[in-house]
Amino acid sequence: MSPAHYTEDTLVQQTTADYLQQQLGWESVFAFNQEDFGPDSLLGRLSDHEVVLTRPLRAALERLNPGLPEPAY
């Protein structure tokens, strides 16, 4: 790889996404310039200021803790 190809994306972001996918089975989404915002958007964020992806977080909480009352989620 030439020095011109050493970028934050190739050295950090892609490497980390590949590791998380291959080693831990995580899903990686490259959403740069692709996300529109709203509850039905790609990542379910209302704005780019939201850093916690609440839609998949809630789904995981419900899956890992079935039967809890609604306010607990």
Coordinates of all heavy atoms in Angstrom, one line a residue:
M1 N 0.8 -1.2 0.0 CA 0.0 0.0 0.0 C 0.9 1.2 0.0 O 1.8 1.4 0.8 CB -0.9 0.0 1.2 CG -1.9 1.0 1.3 SD -3.0 1.0 2.7 CE -3.8 -0.6 2.6
S2 N 0.6 2.1 -0.9 CA 1.4 3.3 -1.0 C 1.0 4.3 0.1 O -0.1 4.2 0.7 CB 1.2 4.0 -2.3 OG -0.1 4.6 -2.4
P3 N 1.9 5.2 0.5 CA 1.6 6.2 1.6 C 0.3 7.0 1.3 O -0.3 7.4 2.3 CB 2.8 7.1 1.6 CG 3.9 6.3 1.1 CD 3.3 5.4 0.1
A4 N 0.0 7.2 0.1 CA -1.2 7.9 -0.2 C -2.5 7.2 0.2 O -3.5 7.8 0.4 CB -1.3 8.2 -1.7
H5 N -2.4 5.9 0.4 CA -3.5 5.0 0.8 C -3.6 4.9 2.3 O -4.5 4.2 2.8 CB -3.4 3.7 0.1 CG -3.7 3.8 -1.3 ND1 -2.7 3.7 -2.3 CD2 -4.8 3.9 -2.1 CE1 -3.2 3.8 -3.5 NE2 -4.5 4.0 -3.4
Y6 N -2.7 5.4 3.1 CA -2.7 5.4 4.5 C -3.6 6.5 5.0 O -3.1 7.6 5.2 CB -1.3 5.5 5.1 CG -0.4 4.3 4.8 CD1 0.8 4.4 4.3 CD2 -0.9 3.0 5.2 CE1 1.6 3.3 4.0 CE2 -0.1 1.9 4.9 CZ 1.2 2.0 4.4 OH 2.0 1.0 4.1
T7 N -4.8 6.2 5.2 CA -5.8 7.2 5.7 C -6.4 6.7 7.0 O -6.3 5.5 7.3 CB -6.8 7.5 4.7 OG1 -7.6 6.3 4.5 CG2 -6.3 7.9 3.4
E8 N -7.1 7.6 7.7 CA -7.8 7.2 8.9 C -8.8 6.1 8.5 O -9.0 5.1 9.2 CB -8.6 8.3 9.5 CG -9.4 7.9 10.7 CD -10.2 9.1 11.3 OE1 -10.0 10.2 10.9 OE2 -10.9 8.8 12.3
D9 N -9.5 6.2 7.3 CA -10.4 5.2 6.9 C -9.8 3.9 6.7 O -10.3 2.9 7.2 CB -11.1 5.7 5.6 CG -12.2 4.7 5.1 OD1 -13.0 4.3 6.0 OD2 -12.1 4.3 4.0
T10 N -8.7 3.8 6.0 CA -8.1 2.5 5.7 C -7.4 1.9 6.9 O -7.3 0.7 7.1 CB -7.1 2.5 4.5 OG1 -6.1 3.5 4.8 CG2 -7.8 2.9 3.2
L11 N -6.7 2.8 7.7 CA -6.0 2.3 8.9 C -6.8 2.0 10.1 O -6.5 1.1 10.9 CB -4.9 3.3 9.2 CG -3.8 3.4 8.2 CD1 -2.8 4.5 8.7 CD2 -3.0 2.1 8.1
V12 N -7.9 2.7 10.3 CA -8.6 2.6 11.5 C -10.1 2.1 11.3 O -10.5 1.1 11.8 CB -8.7 4.0 12.3 CG1 -9.5 3.8 13.6 CG2 -7.3 4.4 12.6
Q13 N -10.8 2.9 10.5 CA -12.2 2.5 10.4 C -12.5 1.2 9.7 O -13.2 0.4 10.2 CB -13.0 3.7 9.6 CG -13.0 5.0 10.5 CD -13.6 6.1 9.7 OE1 -13.9 6.1 8.5 NE2 -13.9 7.2 10.4
Q14 N -11.9 1.0 8.5 CA -12.1 -0.3 7.8 C -11.5 -1.5 8.6 O -12.2 -2.5 8.7 CB -11.5 -0.2 6.4 CG -12.3 0.7 5.5 CD -11.7 0.7 4.1 OE1 -10.8 -0.1 3.7 NE2 -12.1 1.7 3.3
T15 N -10.4 -1.3 9.2 CA -9.7 -2.3 9.9 C -10.6 -2.7 11.1 O -10.8 -3.9 11.4 CB -8.3 -1.9 10.4 OG1 -7.6 -1.5 9.3 CG2 -7.6 -3.0 11.2
T16 N -11.1 -1.7 11.8 CA -11.9 -2.0 13.0 C -13.3 -2.7 12.6 O -13.7 -3.6 13.2 CB -12.2 -0.7 13.8 OG1 -11.0 -0.1 14.2 CG2 -13.1 -1.0 15.0
A17 N -13.9 -2.2 11.6 CA -15.1 -2.7 11.1 C -14.9 -4.2 10.6 O -15.7 -5.1 11.0 CB -15.7 -1.9 9.9
D18 N -13.9 -4.5 9.9 CA -13.5 -5.8 9.5 C -13.4 -6.7 10.7 O -13.9 -7.9 10.7 CB -12.3 -5.9 8.6 CG -12.5 -5.2 7.2 OD1 -13.7 -5.0 6.9 OD2 -11.5 -5.0 6.6
Y19 N -12.6 -6.3 11.7 CA -12.4 -7.1 12.9 C -13.7 -7.4 13.6 O -14.0 -8.5 14.0 CB -11.4 -6.4 13.8 CG -11.2 -7.1 15.1 CD1 -10.3 -8.2 15.2 CD2 -11.9 -6.8 16.3 CE1 -10.1 -8.9 16.3 CE2 -11.7 -7.6 17.4 CZ -10.8 -8.6 17.5 OH -10.7 -9.3 18.6
L20 N -14.5 -6.4 13.8 CA -15.7 -6.6 14.6 C -16.7 -7.5 13.8 O -17.4 -8.3 14.4 CB -16.4 -5.2 14.8 CG -15.7 -4.3 15.8 CD1 -16.3 -2.9 15.8 CD2 -15.6 -4.9 17.2
Q21 N -16.7 -7.4 12.5 CA -17.5 -8.3 11.7 C -17.0 -9.8 11.7 O -17.7 -10.7 12.0 CB -17.6 -7.9 10.2 CG -18.4 -6.7 10.0 CD -18.4 -6.2 8.6 OE1 -17.3 -6.0 8.0 NE2 -19.6 -6.0 8.0
Q22 N -15.7 -9.9 11.5 CA -15.1 -11.3 11.3 C -15.0 -12.0 12.7 O -15.2 -13.2 12.8 CB -13.8 -11.2 10.6 CG -14.0 -10.7 9.2 CD -12.6 -10.4 8.5 OE1 -11.6 -10.6 9.1 NE2 -12.7 -9.8 7.3
Q23 N -14.5 -11.3 13.7 CA -14.2 -11.9 15.0 C -15.4 -11.9 15.9 O -15.5 -12.9 16.7 CB -13.0 -11.2 15.6 CG -11.8 -11.2 14.8 CD -11.2 -12.6 14.6 OE1 -11.2 -13.5 15.5 NE2 -10.8 -12.9 13.3
L24 N -16.3 -11.0 15.8 CA -17.3 -10.9 16.8 C -18.7 -11.0 16.2 O -19.7 -11.0 16.9 CB -17.2 -9.5 17.6 CG -15.9 -9.3 18.3 CD1 -15.9 -7.9 19.0 CD2 -15.7 -10.4 19.4
G25 N -18.8 -11.1 14.9 CA -20.1 -11.2 14.2 C -21.0 -10.0 14.2 O -22.2 -10.1 14.0
W26 N -20.4 -8.9 14.4 CA -21.1 -7.6 14.4 C -21.5 -7.2 13.0 O -20.8 -7.6 12.0 CB -20.3 -6.5 15.0 CG -20.1 -6.6 16.5 CD1 -20.2 -7.7 17.3 CD2 -19.9 -5.5 17.4 NE1 -19.9 -7.4 18.6 CE2 -19.7 -6.0 18.7 CE3 -19.7 -4.1 17.2 CZ2 -19.5 -5.2 19.8 CZ3 -19.4 -3.3 18.3 CH2 -19.3 -3.9 19.6
E27 N -22.5 -6.4 12.8 CA -22.8 -5.9 11.5 C -22.3 -4.5 11.4 O -22.4 -3.7 12.3 CB -24.4 -5.8 11.4 CG -24.8 -5.3 10.0 CD -26.3 -5.1 9.9 OE1 -27.0 -5.6 10.8 OE2 -26.8 -4.5 9.0
S28 N -21.6 -4.2 10.3 CA -21.0 -2.9 10.1 C -21.8 -2.2 9.0 O -22.1 -2.8 7.9 CB -19.6 -3.0 9.8 OG -19.0 -1.7 9.5
V29 N -22.1 -0.9 9.2 CA -22.8 -0.1 8.1 C -22.0 1.1 7.8 O -21.7 1.9 8.8 CB -24.2 0.3 8.6 CG1 -24.9 1.2 7.6 CG2 -25.1 -0.9 8.9
F30 N -21.6 1.3 6.6 CA -20.9 2.5 6.2 C -22.0 3.5 5.8 O -22.6 3.4 4.7 CB -19.9 2.2 5.1 CG -19.1 3.5 4.7 CD1 -18.1 3.9 5.5 CD2 -19.4 4.1 3.5 CE1 -17.4 5.0 5.1 CE2 -18.7 5.2 3.1 CZ -17.6 5.7 4.0
A31 N -22.3 4.5 6.6 CA -23.4 5.4 6.4 C -23.0 6.8 6.0 O -23.8 7.7 5.9 CB -24.3 5.4 7.6
F32 N -21.7 7.0 5.7 CA -21.2 8.3 5.4 C -22.0 8.8 4.1 O -22.0 8.2 3.1 CB -19.7 8.3 5.2 CG -19.1 9.6 4.8 CD1 -19.0 10.6 5.8 CD2 -18.7 9.9 3.6 CE1 -18.5 11.8 5.5 CE2 -18.2 11.2 3.2 CZ -18.1 12.1 4.2
N33 N -22.6 10.0 4.2 CA -23.3 10.6 3.1 C -24.5 9.7 2.6 O -24.9 9.9 1.5 CB -22.4 11.0 2.0 CG -21.6 12.2 2.3 OD1 -21.9 13.0 3.2 ND2 -20.5 12.3 1.6
Q34 N -24.9 8.7 3.4 CA -26.0 7.9 2.9 C -27.2 7.9 3.8 O -28.3 7.4 3.4 CB -25.5 6.4 2.8 CG -24.5 6.2 1.8 CD -24.1 4.7 1.7 OE1 -24.8 3.8 2.0 NE2 -22.8 4.5 1.3
E35 N -27.0 8.4 5.0 CA -28.2 8.3 5.9 C -29.1 9.5 5.8 O -28.6 10.7 5.8 CB -27.7 8.2 7.4 CG -28.9 8.1 8.3 CD -28.5 7.9 9.7 OE1 -27.3 8.1 10.1 OE2 -29.4 7.5 10.5
D36 N -30.3 9.3 5.7 CA -31.3 10.3 5.9 C -31.8 10.1 7.4 O -31.5 9.1 8.0 CB -32.5 10.2 4.9 CG -33.1 8.8 4.9 OD1 -32.5 7.9 5.5 OD2 -34.2 8.6 4.3
F37 N -32.4 11.1 7.9 CA -32.7 11.0 9.4 C -34.2 10.8 9.6 O -35.1 11.2 8.8 CB -32.2 12.2 10.1 CG -30.7 12.3 10.0 CD1 -30.1 13.2 9.1 CD2 -29.9 11.5 10.8 CE1 -28.8 13.3 9.1 CE2 -28.5 11.6 10.7 CZ -28.0 12.5 9.8
G38 N -34.6 10.1 10.7 CA -36.0 9.9 11.0 C -36.1 8.5 11.6 O -35.1 7.6 11.5
P39 N -37.2 8.1 12.1 CA -37.4 6.8 12.8 C -37.2 5.6 11.8 O -36.9 4.5 12.2 CB -38.8 6.9 13.4 CG -39.4 8.0 12.8 CD -38.4 8.9 12.3
D40 N -37.5 5.8 10.5 CA -37.4 4.8 9.6 C -36.2 4.9 8.7 O -36.1 4.2 7.6 CB -38.7 4.7 8.7 CG -39.9 4.4 9.5 OD1 -39.9 3.6 10.4 OD2 -41.0 5.0 9.2
S41 N -35.2 5.7 9.1 CA -34.0 5.9 8.3 C -33.0 4.7 8.4 O -33.3 3.8 9.2 CB -33.3 7.2 8.7 OG -32.8 7.1 10.1
L42 N -31.9 4.8 7.7 CA -31.0 3.7 7.7 C -30.6 3.2 9.1 O -30.6 2.1 9.5 CB -29.7 4.1 7.0 CG -28.5 3.2 6.9 CD1 -28.9 1.9 6.1 CD2 -27.3 3.8 6.3
L43 N -30.2 4.2 10.0 CA -29.8 3.9 11.4 C -30.8 4.3 12.4 O -30.6 4.0 13.6 CB -28.4 4.5 11.7 CG -27.3 4.1 10.8 CD1 -26.0 4.9 11.1 CD2 -27.0 2.6 10.9
G44 N -31.9 4.9 12.0 CA -33.0 5.2 12.9 C -32.7 6.5 13.8 O -33.3 6.7 14.8
R45 N -31.7 7.3 13.4 CA -31.3 8.5 14.2 C -32.2 9.6 13.7 O -32.5 9.7 12.5 CB -29.9 8.8 14.0 CG -28.9 7.7 14.5 CD -27.5 8.2 14.4 NE -27.0 8.7 13.2 CZ -25.9 9.4 13.0 NH1 -25.1 9.6 14.0 NH2 -25.6 9.9 11.8
L46 N -32.5 10.5 14.6 CA -33.2 11.7 14.3 C -32.3 12.8 13.7 O -32.7 13.7 13.0 CB -34.1 12.2 15.4 CG -35.1 11.2 16.0 CD1 -35.8 11.8 17.2 CD2 -36.1 10.8 14.9
S47 N -31.0 12.8 14.2 CA -30.0 13.7 13.7 C -28.7 13.1 13.8 O -28.5 12.1 14.4 CB -30.1 15.0 14.5 OG -29.5 14.9 15.7
D48 N -27.7 13.8 13.2 CA -26.3 13.3 13.3 C -25.7 13.6 14.7 O -24.6 13.2 15.0 CB -25.4 13.9 12.2 CG -25.3 15.4 12.3 OD1 -26.1 16.1 13.1 OD2 -24.5 16.0 11.5
H49 N -26.4 14.2 15.6 CA -25.9 14.4 17.0 C -26.2 13.2 17.8 O -25.6 13.1 18.9 CB -26.6 15.6 17.6 CG -26.3 16.9 16.8 ND1 -25.1 17.5 17.0 CD2 -27.0 17.6 15.9 CE1 -25.0 18.6 16.2 NE2 -26.2 18.7 15.6
E50 N -27.1 12.3 17.4 CA -27.3 11.1 18.2 C -26.2 10.1 18.0 O -26.0 9.7 16.8 CB -28.7 10.5 17.8 CG -29.9 11.3 18.2 CD -31.2 10.7 17.9 OE1 -31.2 9.4 17.6 OE2 -32.2 11.4 17.9
V51 N -25.6 9.7 19.0 CA -24.5 8.7 18.9 C -24.9 7.3 19.3 O -24.2 6.3 18.9 CB -23.2 9.1 19.7 CG1 -22.6 10.4 19.1 CG2 -23.5 9.3 21.1
V52 N -25.9 7.2 20.1 CA -26.4 5.9 20.5 C -27.5 5.5 19.5 O -28.5 6.2 19.3 CB -27.0 5.9 21.9 CG1 -27.6 4.6 22.3 CG2 -25.9 6.3 22.9
L53 N -27.4 4.3 18.9 CA -28.4 3.8 18.0 C -29.5 3.1 18.8 O -29.4 1.9 19.1 CB -27.7 2.9 17.0 CG -26.6 3.5 16.2 CD1 -26.0 2.5 15.2 CD2 -27.0 4.7 15.4
T54 N -30.5 3.9 19.1 CA -31.5 3.4 20.1 C -32.3 2.2 19.5 O -32.8 1.4 20.2 CB -32.4 4.5 20.6 OG1 -33.0 5.2 19.4 CG2 -31.6 5.5 21.4
R55 N -32.6 2.2 18.2 CA -33.4 1.2 17.6 C -32.8 -0.2 17.8 O -33.4 -1.1 18.3 CB -33.7 1.5 16.1 CG -34.6 0.5 15.5 CD -35.0 0.9 14.1 NE -33.8 1.1 13.2 CZ -33.8 1.8 12.1 NH1 -34.9 2.4 11.7 NH2 -32.7 1.8 11.4
P56 N -31.5 -0.4 17.4 CA -30.9 -1.8 17.7 C -30.7 -2.0 19.2 O -30.7 -3.2 19.6 CB -29.6 -1.8 16.9 CG -29.3 -0.4 16.5 CD -30.6 0.4 16.6
L57 N -30.4 -1.0 19.9 CA -30.2 -1.1 21.3 C -31.5 -1.6 22.0 O -31.5 -2.6 22.8 CB -29.8 0.2 22.0 CG -29.7 0.2 23.5 CD1 -28.6 -0.9 24.0 CD2 -29.3 1.6 24.0
R58 N -32.6 -1.0 21.7 CA -33.9 -1.5 22.2 C -34.2 -2.9 21.8 O -34.6 -3.7 22.6 CB -35.0 -0.5 21.8 CG -36.3 -1.0 22.5 CD -37.5 -0.1 22.0 NE -38.7 -0.6 22.6 CZ -39.3 -0.2 23.7 NH1 -38.7 0.8 24.3 NH2 -40.4 -0.7 24.1
A59 N -33.9 -3.2 20.6 CA -34.2 -4.6 20.1 C -33.3 -5.6 20.9 O -33.8 -6.7 21.3 CB -33.9 -4.7 18.6
A60 N -32.1 -5.3 21.1 CA -31.2 -6.2 21.9 C -31.7 -6.3 23.4 O -31.7 -7.4 23.9 CB -29.8 -5.6 21.9
L61 N -32.1 -5.1 23.9 CA -32.6 -5.2 25.3 C -33.8 -6.1 25.4 O -34.0 -6.9 26.4 CB -32.9 -3.8 25.8 CG -31.7 -2.9 26.1 CD1 -32.2 -1.4 26.4 CD2 -30.9 -3.4 27.2
E62 N -34.7 -6.0 24.5 CA -35.9 -6.8 24.5 C -35.6 -8.3 24.3 O -36.2 -9.1 24.9 CB -36.9 -6.3 23.4 CG -37.5 -5.0 23.7 CD -38.4 -4.4 22.6 OE1 -38.5 -5.0 21.5 OE2 -39.1 -3.4 22.9
R63 N -34.6 -8.5 23.4 CA -34.2 -9.9 23.1 C -33.6 -10.5 24.3 O -33.8 -11.7 24.7 CB -33.3 -10.0 21.9 CG -32.9 -11.4 21.5 CD -32.0 -11.4 20.3 NE -30.6 -11.1 20.7 CZ -30.0 -9.9 20.5 NH1 -30.6 -9.0 19.7 NH2 -28.8 -9.7 20.9
L64 N -32.7 -9.8 25.0 CA -32.0 -10.3 26.2 C -32.8 -10.3 27.5 O -32.4 -11.0 28.4 CB -30.7 -9.5 26.3 CG -29.7 -9.6 25.2 CD1 -28.6 -8.5 25.4 CD2 -29.1 -10.9 25.1
N65 N -33.8 -9.5 27.5 CA -34.6 -9.4 28.7 C -36.1 -9.5 28.4 O -36.9 -8.5 28.6 CB -34.3 -8.0 29.4 CG -32.9 -7.8 29.7 OD1 -32.4 -8.4 30.7 ND2 -32.2 -7.1 28.9
P66 N -36.5 -10.6 27.9 CA -37.9 -10.7 27.5 C -38.9 -10.6 28.6 O -38.6 -11.0 29.8 CB -38.0 -12.1 26.8 CG -36.9 -12.9 27.5 CD -35.8 -11.9 27.7
G67 N -40.1 -10.0 28.4 CA -41.1 -10.0 29.3 C -41.1 -8.8 30.3 O -41.9 -8.8 31.3
L68 N -40.2 -7.9 30.2 CA -40.1 -6.8 31.1 C -41.2 -5.8 30.8 O -41.7 -5.7 29.7 CB -38.8 -6.0 31.0 CG -37.5 -6.8 31.5 CD1 -36.3 -5.9 31.3 CD2 -37.7 -7.2 33.0
P69 N -41.6 -5.0 31.8 CA -42.7 -4.0 31.5 C -42.1 -2.9 30.5 O -40.9 -2.7 30.5 CB -43.0 -3.4 32.8 CG -42.0 -3.9 33.8 CD -41.3 -5.1 33.2
E70 N -42.9 -2.3 29.7 CA -42.5 -1.4 28.7 C -41.6 -0.3 29.2 O -40.6 0.0 28.6 CB -43.7 -0.8 28.1 CG -43.5 0.1 26.9 CD -42.9 -0.7 25.7 OE1 -43.1 -1.9 25.6 OE2 -42.2 0.0 24.9
P71 N -41.8 0.3 30.4 CA -40.9 1.4 30.9 C -39.5 0.9 31.2 O -38.6 1.7 31.1 CB -41.6 1.9 32.2 CG -43.0 1.5 32.0 CD -43.0 0.2 31.2
A72 N -39.3 -0.4 31.4 CA -38.0 -0.9 31.7 C -37.1 -0.8 30.4 O -35.9 -0.7 30.6 CB -38.1 -2.3 32.2
Y73 N -37.7 -0.9 29.3 CA -36.9 -0.9 28.0 C -36.5 0.6 27.7 O -35.5 0.8 27.2 CB -37.6 -1.5 26.9 CG -37.9 -3.0 27.0 CD1 -39.2 -3.4 27.1 CD2 -36.9 -3.9 27.2 CE1 -39.5 -4.8 27.3 CE2 -37.1 -5.2 27.4 CZ -38.4 -5.7 27.4 OH -38.7 -7.0 27.6

